[in-house]
Amino acid sequence: QQPVQSPQAVILREGEDAVINCSSSKALYSVHWYRQKHGEAPVFLMILLKGGEQKGHDKISASFNEKKQQSSLYLTASQLSYSGTYFCGTEDAAAGNKLTFGGGTRVLVKP
Amino acid sequence: GAVVSQHPSWVICKSGTSVKIECRSLDFQATTMFWYRQFPKQSLMLMATSNEGSKATYEQGVEKDKFLINHASLTLSTLTVTSAHPEDSSFYICSAWDSNTDTQYFGPGTRLTVL
């Protein structure tokens, strides 16, 4: 079953913050975050492997709450280059490296 | 990050013809590759898992005789869309699993248009 992402879309002004959530009905082994620009392939941002883990990439960070079976991606002081569609990909214990992707969150950062 | 290439980047073909798409991991070996299909403004839908040296595993609802997958080496997987029809038009993206980082890296995608 596909993880649920929220919100579906968000519009930001440059410098503003945003949070994207990813929730699963299954127990998760890992959560992967990607960003996709229009007409291009998804680009890997980060992977979270353990409950409670937090990671950062530039001013984009993420957390993984294993108990709640959810992950959040934080866009801090957003830049124009952050625009795109963000997908979470979840891996459950039986998946064997297979990821199930959420519906995506479209982010538009305006000047 | 690791680099995955895909060829061709776009293709236009006539209905009834077959189209082959190649996916290569350029700087790592991938025993497992994945093929996805993506419609405009939608998520990535997994079609099949390609395993080096063995048969691909197809997701429910994906016709294995229509979408032929071959994973001949640790750096190459191919997807052949046989007897293509207009409804097969889509963005096809492959990914390769890098076991060193436990991460999937995506190719640039192939836009298929069937006339």
Side-chain angles (χ1 to χ4, degrees):
Chain A
Q1 197 169 359
Q2 192 179 34
V4 177
Q5 277 184 243
S6 63
Q8 288 187 324
V10 59
I11 300 174
L12 300 165
R13 289 285 178 195
E14 210 172 353
E16 290 182 340
D17 303 339
V19 181
I20 301 169
N21 297 305
C22 174
S23 296
S24 174
S25 59
K26 294 184 176 183
L28 299 176
Y29 175 73
S30 67
V31 179
H32 304 232
W33 285 96
Y34 293 83
R35 178 174 61 214
Q36 184 179 29
K37 304 255 181 191
H38 180 68
E40 299 177 10
V43 172
F44 172 75
L45 294 176
M46 64 192 81
I47 176 177
L48 298 118
L49 287 171
K50 294 181 289 188
E53 185 173 18
Q54 295 189 5
K55 276 194 174 177
H57 173 77
D58 197 6
K59 286 188 176 175
I60 298 174
S61 60
S63 63
F64 178 21
N65 188 321
E66 201 173 16
K67 276 189 177 178
K68 291 186 179 179
Q69 297 170 183
Q70 67 181 43
S71 176
S72 296
L73 187 74
Y74 306 92
L75 307 181
T76 305
S78 57
Q79 304 169 18
L80 296 176
S81 61
Y82 288 3
S83 293
T85 301
Y86 290 78
F87 291 100
C88 66
T90 58
E91 181 187 5
D92 58 68
N97 302 338
K98 192 168 74 171
L99 297 179
T100 304
F101 285 90
T105 297
R106 294 164 70 87
V107 173
L108 175 62
V109 181
K110 291 186 172 180
Chain B
V3 180
V4 177
S5 70
Q6 209 171 318
H7 178 80
S9 54
W10 58 270
V11 57
I12 301 172
C13 69
K14 290 183 178 180
S15 190
T17 59
S18 294
V19 173
K20 181 189 277 189
I21 303 170
E22 291 186 350
C23 177
R24 292 180 188 274
S25 56
L26 298 184
D27 52 2
F28 66 101
Q29 293 184 329
T31 54
T32 305
M33 292 184 174
F34 301 90
W35 287 97
Y36 295 85
R37 187 172 178 176
Q38 187 178 36
F39 292 105
K41 297 184 181 180
Q42 292 190 23
S43 187
L44 300 147
M45 298 306 297
L46 180 65
M47 298 174 64
T49 303
S50 172
N51 303 298
E52 188 267 337
S54 64
K55 289 184 180 179
T57 306
Y58 290 82
E59 294 300 299
Q60 198 170 11
V62 178
E63 297 176 58
K64 60 181 180 182
D65 294 330
K66 180 163 185 62
F67 299 99
L68 300 178
I69 290 171
N70 184 277
H71 195 149
S73 76
L74 288 171
T75 58
L76 172 64
S77 175
T78 60
L79 169 70
T80 302
V81 183
T82 62
S83 187
H85 291 284
E87 57 267 29
D88 297 325
S89 298
S90 189
F91 192 48
Y92 291 87
I93 313 177
C94 72
S95 71
W97 185 271
D98 184 353
S99 58
N100 294 316
T101 57
D102 269 343
T103 302
Q104 277 190 41
Y105 293 99
F106 283 87
T110 297
R111 189 158 301 282
L112 170 65
T113 302
V114 185
L115 302 176

